[in-house]
Amino acid sequence: MQQLDTDDFKRQLQQYIDFRGIDIILYLKDGTLVELDKNRTMEGDVIIKNGREGVAASVHLEEIIKADFFAA
């Protein structure tokens, strides 16, 4: 498997975040999983998951060790 550098990972992740037909699961360094549904944005190096009451979660790119993408 090819290792992506940070800029390539960020660019690819931005494309998937902008495409609403993909669900994303982020695996973080601390062992937690963050599921991103269609209500998400990326501001700089931070991914924001929005909920009904505003921001439900925010994740910095440095916290991510892996991302899985699924067709919704």
Side-chain angles (χ1 to χ4, degrees):
M1 180 173 15
Q2 181 182 2
Q3 189 74 11
L4 295 175
D5 69 23
T6 304
D7 290 337
D8 288 340
F9 178 71
K10 180 179 176 179
R11 195 170 19 260
Q12 186 175 15
L13 187 57
Q14 180 70 57
Q15 288 177 334
Y16 286 116
I17 286 172
D18 291 341
F19 184 66
R20 298 297 184 218
I22 299 286
D23 286 341
I24 303 169
I25 297 179
L26 302 176
Y27 297 82
L28 307 184
K29 290 179 181 177
D30 66 3
T32 60
L33 301 177
V34 176
E35 290 188 49
L36 300 175
D37 55 17
K38 289 147 191 62
N39 198 9
R40 64 205 178 212
T41 58
M42 188 167 177
E43 296 179 12
D45 288 347
V46 178
I47 300 162
I48 299 171
K49 176 181 177 178
N50 296 302
R52 292 181 186 259
E53 305 298 321
V55 175
S58 63
V59 178
H60 194 278
L61 282 180
E62 291 179 356
E63 298 177 59
I64 303 169
I65 58 171
K66 178 181 163 184
D68 284 333
F69 307 96
F70 300 95

Coordinates of all heavy atoms in Angstrom, one line a residue:
M1 N 0.8 -1.2 0.0 CA 0.0 0.0 0.0 C 0.9 1.2 0.0 O 1.9 1.3 0.7 CB -0.9 0.0 1.2 CG -1.8 1.2 1.3 SD -3.1 1.3 2.6 CE -2.7 0.1 3.7
Q2 N 0.5 2.2 -0.8 CA 1.3 3.4 -0.9 C 1.0 4.4 0.2 O -0.2 4.6 0.5 CB 1.0 4.1 -2.3 CG 1.8 5.4 -2.5 CD 1.5 6.0 -3.8 OE1 0.7 5.5 -4.6 NE2 2.1 7.1 -4.2
Q3 N 2.0 5.0 0.8 CA 1.8 6.0 1.9 C 1.6 7.4 1.2 O 2.4 7.8 0.4 CB 3.0 6.0 2.8 CG 2.9 6.8 4.0 CD 2.0 6.1 5.0 OE1 1.6 5.0 4.9 NE2 1.6 6.8 6.0
L4 N 0.6 8.1 1.6 CA 0.4 9.5 1.1 C 1.0 10.5 2.0 O 1.0 10.3 3.3 CB -1.1 9.8 1.1 CG -2.0 9.0 0.2 CD1 -3.5 9.4 0.4 CD2 -1.7 9.2 -1.3
D5 N 1.6 11.5 1.4 CA 2.1 12.6 2.3 C 1.0 13.4 2.8 O -0.2 13.3 2.3 CB 3.3 13.4 1.6 CG 2.8 14.2 0.5 OD1 1.6 14.6 0.4 OD2 3.6 14.6 -0.4
T6 N 1.2 14.3 3.7 CA 0.2 15.1 4.3 C -0.6 15.9 3.3 O -1.8 16.0 3.4 CB 0.8 16.0 5.4 OG1 1.5 15.2 6.3 CG2 -0.3 16.8 6.2
D7 N 0.1 16.6 2.4 CA -0.6 17.4 1.4 C -1.5 16.6 0.5 O -2.6 17.0 0.2 CB 0.4 18.2 0.5 CG 1.1 19.3 1.3 OD1 0.5 19.8 2.3 OD2 2.2 19.7 0.9
D8 N -1.0 15.4 0.1 CA -1.8 14.5 -0.8 C -3.1 14.0 0.0 O -4.2 14.0 -0.5 CB -1.0 13.3 -1.3 CG 0.0 13.7 -2.3 OD1 -0.2 14.7 -2.9 OD2 0.9 12.9 -2.5
F9 N -2.9 13.6 1.3 CA -4.0 13.2 2.1 C -5.0 14.3 2.3 O -6.2 14.0 2.1 CB -3.4 12.7 3.5 CG -4.5 12.2 4.4 CD1 -5.2 11.0 4.1 CD2 -4.9 13.0 5.5 CE1 -6.2 10.6 5.0 CE2 -5.9 12.6 6.3 CZ -6.6 11.4 6.1
K10 N -4.5 15.5 2.6 CA -5.5 16.6 2.8 C -6.3 16.9 1.5 O -7.5 17.1 1.5 CB -4.7 17.8 3.2 CG -5.5 19.0 3.4 CD -4.7 20.2 3.8 CE -5.6 21.5 4.0 NZ -4.8 22.6 4.4
R11 N -5.6 16.9 0.4 CA -6.2 17.1 -0.9 C -7.3 16.1 -1.2 O -8.4 16.4 -1.6 CB -5.2 17.2 -2.0 CG -5.6 17.8 -3.3 CD -4.5 18.1 -4.3 NE -3.2 17.4 -4.1 CZ -2.1 17.9 -3.5 NH1 -2.1 19.1 -3.1 NH2 -1.0 17.2 -3.4
Q12 N -6.9 14.8 -1.0 CA -7.9 13.7 -1.3 C -9.0 13.8 -0.3 O -10.2 13.6 -0.7 CB -7.2 12.4 -1.2 CG -8.0 11.2 -1.6 CD -7.2 9.9 -1.6 OE1 -6.2 9.8 -1.0 NE2 -7.8 8.9 -2.2
L13 N -8.8 14.0 1.0 CA -9.8 14.1 2.0 C -10.8 15.2 1.6 O -12.0 15.1 1.8 CB -9.2 14.2 3.3 CG -10.2 14.2 4.5 CD1 -10.9 12.8 4.5 CD2 -9.4 14.3 5.8
Q14 N -10.2 16.4 1.2 CA -11.1 17.5 0.8 C -12.1 17.1 -0.3 O -13.2 17.5 -0.2 CB -10.2 18.7 0.4 CG -11.0 19.9 0.0 CD -11.7 20.6 1.2 OE1 -11.1 20.9 2.2 NE2 -13.0 20.7 1.2
Q15 N -11.6 16.4 -1.3 CA -12.5 16.0 -2.4 C -13.6 15.1 -1.8 O -14.8 15.3 -2.3 CB -11.7 15.2 -3.4 CG -10.7 16.0 -4.2 CD -9.9 15.2 -5.2 OE1 -9.7 14.0 -5.0 NE2 -9.5 15.8 -6.3
Y16 N -13.3 14.2 -0.9 CA -14.4 13.3 -0.4 C -15.3 14.1 0.5 O -16.5 13.8 0.6 CB -13.8 12.1 0.3 CG -13.2 11.1 -0.6 CD1 -11.9 10.8 -0.7 CD2 -14.0 10.4 -1.5 CE1 -11.3 9.8 -1.5 CE2 -13.5 9.5 -2.4 CZ -12.2 9.2 -2.4 OH -11.7 8.2 -3.3
I17 N -14.8 15.0 1.3 CA -15.7 15.8 2.1 C -16.6 16.6 1.3 O -17.8 16.8 1.6 CB -14.8 16.7 3.1 CG1 -14.2 15.8 4.1 CG2 -15.6 17.9 3.7 CD1 -13.2 16.6 5.0
D18 N -16.2 17.2 0.2 CA -17.0 18.0 -0.7 C -18.1 17.2 -1.4 O -19.1 17.7 -1.8 CB -16.2 18.7 -1.7 CG -15.3 19.8 -1.1 OD1 -15.6 20.3 0.0 OD2 -14.3 20.2 -1.7
F19 N -17.8 15.9 -1.6 CA -18.7 15.0 -2.3 C -19.7 14.4 -1.3 O -19.3 13.6 -0.4 CB -18.0 13.9 -3.1 CG -18.9 13.0 -3.9 CD1 -19.6 13.5 -5.0 CD2 -19.0 11.7 -3.5 CE1 -20.4 12.7 -5.7 CE2 -19.9 10.9 -4.3 CZ -20.6 11.4 -5.3
R20 N -20.9 14.7 -1.3 CA -21.9 14.4 -0.3 C -22.4 12.9 -0.4 O -23.0 12.4 0.5 CB -23.1 15.3 -0.3 CG -22.8 16.7 0.0 CD -22.2 16.9 1.3 NE -22.0 18.3 1.6 CZ -21.0 18.7 2.3 NH1 -20.1 17.9 2.8 NH2 -20.8 20.0 2.6
G21 N -22.0 12.2 -1.5 CA -22.5 10.8 -1.6 C -21.6 9.8 -0.9 O -21.7 8.6 -1.1
I22 N -20.6 10.3 -0.2 CA -19.6 9.4 0.5 C -19.7 9.6 2.0 O -19.7 10.8 2.5 CB -18.2 9.8 0.0 CG1 -18.0 9.6 -1.4 CG2 -17.2 9.0 0.8 CD1 -18.0 8.1 -1.9
D23 N -19.8 8.5 2.8 CA -19.7 8.6 4.2 C -18.2 8.3 4.6 O -17.6 7.5 3.9 CB -20.6 7.6 4.9 CG -22.1 8.0 4.9 OD1 -22.4 9.2 4.6 OD2 -22.9 7.1 5.1
I24 N -17.7 9.0 5.6 CA -16.3 8.9 6.0 C -16.2 8.4 7.4 O -16.9 9.0 8.3 CB -15.6 10.2 5.7 CG1 -15.7 10.7 4.3 CG2 -14.1 10.1 6.1 CD1 -15.3 12.1 4.1
I25 N -15.3 7.5 7.7 CA -15.0 7.1 9.1 C -13.5 7.5 9.3 O -12.6 7.0 8.5 CB -15.2 5.7 9.3 CG1 -16.7 5.3 9.2 CG2 -14.7 5.3 10.8 CD1 -17.0 3.9 9.4
L26 N -13.2 8.3 10.3 CA -11.9 8.7 10.6 C -11.4 7.9 11.8 O -12.1 7.8 12.8 CB -11.8 10.2 10.9 CG -12.3 11.2 9.8 CD1 -12.3 12.6 10.4 CD2 -11.5 11.0 8.6
Y27 N -10.2 7.4 11.7 CA -9.5 6.7 12.8 C -8.5 7.6 13.4 O -7.6 8.0 12.7 CB -8.9 5.4 12.3 CG -9.9 4.4 11.7 CD1 -10.3 4.5 10.4 CD2 -10.3 3.3 12.5 CE1 -11.2 3.6 9.9 CE2 -11.2 2.4 11.9 CZ -11.7 2.6 10.6 OH -12.6 1.7 10.1
L28 N -8.6 7.9 14.7 CA -7.8 8.9 15.3 C -6.7 8.2 16.1 O -6.8 7.0 16.5 CB -8.6 9.8 16.2 CG -9.8 10.5 15.6 CD1 -10.4 11.4 16.6 CD2 -9.4 11.2 14.3
K29 N -5.6 8.9 16.4 CA -4.4 8.4 17.1 C -4.8 7.9 18.5 O -4.2 7.0 19.0 CB -3.4 9.5 17.2 CG -2.7 9.8 15.9 CD -1.6 10.9 16.0 CE -1.0 11.2 14.7 NZ 0.0 12.3 14.8
D30 N -5.8 8.5 19.1 CA -6.2 8.1 20.5 C -7.1 6.9 20.5 O -7.6 6.4 21.5 CB -6.8 9.2 21.3 CG -8.2 9.7 20.7 OD1 -8.7 9.1 19.7 OD2 -8.7 10.6 21.3
G31 N -7.3 6.3 19.3 CA -8.1 5.1 19.2 C -9.6 5.3 19.0 O -10.4 4.3 18.8
T32 N -10.1 6.5 18.9 CA -11.5 6.8 18.7 C -11.8 6.8 17.2 O -10.9 7.0 16.4 CB -12.0 8.1 19.3 OG1 -11.2 9.2 18.8 CG2 -11.8 8.1 20.8
L33 N -13.1 6.6 16.9 CA -13.6 6.7 15.5 C -14.6 7.8 15.4 O -15.4 8.0 16.3 CB -14.3 5.4 15.1 CG -13.6 4.1 15.2 CD1 -14.6 2.9 14.8 CD2 -12.4 4.1 14.3
V34 N -14.5 8.6 14.3 CA -15.4 9.6 14.1 C -16.1 9.4 12.8 O -15.4 9.3 11.7 CB -14.7 11.0 14.1 CG1 -15.7 12.1 13.7 CG2 -14.0 11.3 15.4
E35 N -17.4 9.2 12.8 CA -18.2 9.0 11.5 C -18.6 10.4 11.0 O -19.3 11.1 11.8 CB -19.4 8.1 11.8 CG -19.0 6.7 12.1 CD -20.2 5.8 12.1 OE1 -21.0 5.9 11.2 OE2 -20.3 5.0 13.1
L36 N -18.3 10.7 9.8 CA -18.8 11.9 9.2 C -19.9 11.6 8.2 O -19.7 10.9 7.2 CB -17.6 12.6 8.4 CG -16.4 12.9 9.3 CD1 -15.3 13.5 8.3 CD2 -16.7 14.0 10.3
D37 N -21.0 12.1 8.5 CA -22.1 12.0 7.5 C -22.0 13.1 6.5 O -21.0 13.8 6.4 CB -23.5 11.9 8.2 CG -23.7 13.1 9.1 OD1 -23.1 14.1 9.0 OD2 -24.6 12.9 10.0
K38 N -23.1 13.5 5.9 CA -23.0 14.5 4.8 C -22.9 15.9 5.3 O -22.6 16.8 4.5 CB -24.3 14.3 3.9 CG -24.2 13.0 3.1 CD -25.5 12.4 2.9 CE -25.4 11.0 2.3 NZ -24.8 10.1 3.1
N39 N -23.2 16.2 6.6 CA -23.1 17.5 7.1 C -21.7 17.8 7.7 O -21.6 17.8 8.9 CB -24.2 17.7 8.2 CG -24.5 19.1 8.4 OD1 -24.0 20.0 7.8 ND2 -25.3 19.3 9.5
R40 N -20.8 18.0 6.8 CA -19.4 18.2 7.3 C -18.7 19.3 6.4 O -19.1 19.5 5.2 CB -18.6 16.9 7.2 CG -18.6 16.5 5.7 CD -18.4 15.0 5.5 NE -18.4 14.7 4.1 CZ -18.9 13.6 3.6 NH1 -19.4 12.7 4.4 NH2 -18.8 13.4 2.3
T41 N -17.7 19.9 6.9 CA -16.9 20.8 6.2 C -15.4 20.7 6.6 O -15.1 20.0 7.6 CB -17.3 22.3 6.5 OG1 -17.2 22.5 7.9 CG2 -18.7 22.6 6.0
M42 N -14.5 21.3 5.8 CA -13.1 21.3 6.1 C -12.7 22.7 6.1 O -12.8 23.4 5.1 CB -12.3 20.4 5.2 CG -10.9 20.2 5.6 SD -10.2 18.9 4.6 CE -8.5 18.9 5.1
E43 N -12.1 23.2 7.2 CA -11.6 24.6 7.3 C -10.1 24.5 7.6 O -9.8 24.2 8.8 CB -12.4 25.4 8.3 CG -13.9 25.6 8.0 CD -14.6 26.3 9.0 OE1 -14.0 26.9 9.9 OE2 -15.9 26.3 8.9
G44 N -9.3 24.8 6.6 CA -7.9 24.7 6.9 C -7.5 23.2 7.1 O -7.8 22.4 6.2
D45 N -6.9 22.9 8.2 CA -6.5 21.6 8.6 C -7.5 20.9 9.6 O -7.1 19.9 10.2 CB -5.1 21.5 9.2 CG -4.0 21.8 8.1 OD1 -4.4 21.7 6.9 OD2 -2.9 22.0 8.5
V46 N -8.7 21.5 9.7 CA -9.7 21.0 10.7 C -10.9 20.5 10.0 O -11.5 21.3 9.1 CB -10.0 22.1 11.7 CG1 -11.1 21.5 12.7 CG2 -8.8 22.5 12.5
I47 N -11.4 19.3 10.3 CA -12.6 18.8 9.7 C -13.7 19.0 10.8 O -13.5 18.7 11.9 CB -12.5 17.3 9.4 CG1 -11.4 17.1 8.4 CG2 -13.8 16.7 8.9 CD1 -10.9 15.7 8.3
I48 N -14.8 19.6 10.3 CA -15.9 19.9 11.3 C -17.1 19.1 10.9 O -17.6 19.1 9.8 CB -16.2 21.4 11.2 CG1 -15.0 22.2 11.6 CG2 -17.4 21.7 12.1 CD1 -15.1 23.7 11.4
K49 N -17.6 18.4 11.9 CA -18.9 17.6 11.8 C -20.0 18.5 12.4 O -19.9 18.8 13.6 CB -18.8 16.3 12.5 CG -20.0 15.5 12.5 CD -19.9 14.1 13.2 CE -21.2 13.4 13.3 NZ -21.0 12.1 13.9
N50 N -21.0 18.8 11.6 CA -22.0 19.7 12.2 C -23.2 18.8 12.6 O -23.6 17.9 11.9 CB -22.5 20.7 11.1 CG -21.4 21.7 10.8 OD1 -20.9 22.4 11.6 ND2 -21.0 21.7 9.5
G51 N -23.8 19.2 13.7 CA -25.0 18.5 14.2 C -26.2 19.5 14.2 O -26.1 20.7 13.8
R52 N -27.3 19.1 14.8 CA -28.5 20.0 14.9 C -28.2 21.2 15.7 O -28.7 22.3 15.5 CB -29.6 19.2 15.5 CG -30.2 18.1 14.6 CD -31.4 17.4 15.2 NE -31.8 16.3 14.4 CZ -32.9 16.4 13.6 NH1 -33.6 17.5 13.5 NH2 -33.2 15.3 12.9
E53 N -27.4 21.1 16.7 CA -27.1 22.1 17.7 C -25.8 22.9 17.4 O -25.3 23.6 18.2 CB -27.0 21.6 19.1 CG -28.2 20.8 19.6 CD -29.5 21.6 19.6 OE1 -29.4 22.8 20.0 OE2 -30.5 21.1 19.2
G54 N -25.3 22.7 16.2 CA -24.0 23.3 15.8 C -22.9 22.3 15.6 O -23.2 21.2 15.1
V55 N -21.7 22.7 16.0 CA -20.5 21.8 15.8 C -20.7 20.6 16.7 O -20.7 20.7 17.9 CB -19.2 22.5 16.0 CG1 -18.0 21.6 15.9 CG2 -19.1 23.7 15.0
A56 N -20.7 19.4 16.2 CA -20.8 18.2 17.0 C -19.4 17.6 17.2 O -19.2 16.9 18.3 CB -21.6 17.1 16.2
A57 N -18.4 17.9 16.3 CA -17.1 17.4 16.5 C -16.1 18.1 15.6 O -16.6 18.6 14.5 CB -17.0 15.9 16.2
S58 N -14.9 18.3 16.0 CA -13.9 18.8 15.1 C -12.6 18.0 15.3 O -12.3 17.6 16.4 CB -13.6 20.3 15.4 OG -13.1 20.5 16.7
V59 N -12.0 17.7 14.2 CA -10.8 16.9 14.2 C -9.7 17.5 13.3 O -9.9 17.9 12.2 CB -11.1 15.5 13.5 CG1 -9.9 14.6 13.5 CG2 -12.2 14.8 14.3
H60 N -8.5 17.7 13.9 CA -7.4 18.2 13.2 C -6.7 17.1 12.4 O -6.7 15.9 12.8 CB -6.4 18.8 14.2 CG -5.3 19.7 13.5 ND1 -4.2 19.2 12.9 CD2 -5.3 21.0 13.3 CE1 -3.5 20.2 12.4 NE2 -4.2 21.3 12.6
L61 N -6.2 17.4 11.2 CA -5.6 16.4 10.3 C -4.5 15.6 11.0 O -4.4 14.4 10.8 CB -5.0 17.1 9.1 CG -6.0 17.5 8.0 CD1 -5.2 18.1 6.8 CD2 -6.8 16.3 7.5
E62 N -3.8 16.3 11.9 CA -2.7 15.6 12.6 C -3.2 14.4 13.5 O -2.4 13.6 13.9 CB -1.8 16.6 13.4 CG -1.0 17.5 12.6 CD -0.3 18.5 13.4 OE1 -0.4 18.5 14.6 OE2 0.5 19.3 12.8
E63 N -4.4 14.5 13.9 CA -5.0 13.4 14.8 C -5.4 12.2 14.0 O -5.6 11.1 14.6 CB -6.3 14.0 15.5 CG -6.0 15.2 16.4 CD -7.3 15.7 17.0 OE1 -8.0 14.9 17.7 OE2 -7.6 16.9 16.7
I64 N -5.5 12.3 12.7 CA -6.0 11.1 11.9 C -4.9 10.2 11.5 O -3.8 10.6 11.0 CB -6.7 11.7 10.6 CG1 -7.8 12.6 11.0 CG2 -7.2 10.5 9.7 CD1 -8.4 13.4 9.8
I65 N -5.1 8.9 11.7 CA -4.1 7.9 11.2 C -4.7 7.2 10.0 O -3.9 6.7 9.2 CB -3.7 6.9 12.3 CG1 -4.9 6.2 12.9 CG2 -3.0 7.6 13.4 CD1 -4.6 5.0 13.8
K66 N -6.0 7.2 9.8 CA -6.6 6.4 8.7 C -8.0 7.0 8.4 O -8.6 7.4 9.3 CB -6.6 5.0 9.0 CG -7.2 4.1 8.0 CD -7.2 2.6 8.5 CE -8.2 1.8 7.7 NZ -8.3 0.4 8.2
A67 N -8.4 6.9 7.2 CA -9.8 7.2 6.8 C -10.3 6.2 5.9 O -9.7 5.7 5.0 CB -9.8 8.6 6.2
D68 N -11.6 5.7 6.1 CA -12.3 4.8 5.2 C -13.4 5.6 4.6 O -14.1 6.4 5.3 CB -12.9 3.6 6.0 CG -11.8 2.6 6.4 OD1 -10.8 2.5 5.7 OD2 -12.0 1.9 7.4
F69 N -13.7 5.3 3.3 CA -14.7 6.0 2.6 C -15.7 4.9 2.1 O -15.4 3.9 1.6 CB -14.1 6.7 1.4 CG -13.0 7.6 1.8 CD1 -11.7 7.2 1.7 CD2 -13.3 8.9 2.3 CE1 -10.6 8.0 2.0 CE2 -12.2 9.7 2.6 CZ -10.9 9.3 2.5
F70 N -17.1 5.3 2.2 CA -18.1 4.4 1.8 C -19.2 5.1 1.0 O -19.5 6.2 1.3 CB -18.8 3.8 3.1 CG -17.9 3.0 4.0 CD1 -17.3 3.7 5.1 CD2 -17.7 1.7 3.8 CE1 -16.5 3.0 5.9 CE2 -16.8 1.0 4.6 CZ -16.2 1.6 5.7
A71 N -19.6 4.5 0.0 CA -20.7 5.0 -0.8 C -22.0 5.0 0.0 O -22.3 4.0 0.6 CB -20.9 4.3 -2.1
A72 N -22.7 6.1 0.1 CA -23.9 6.2 0.9 C -25.1 5.8 0.1 O -25.2 5.9 -1.1 CB -24.1 7.6 1.4

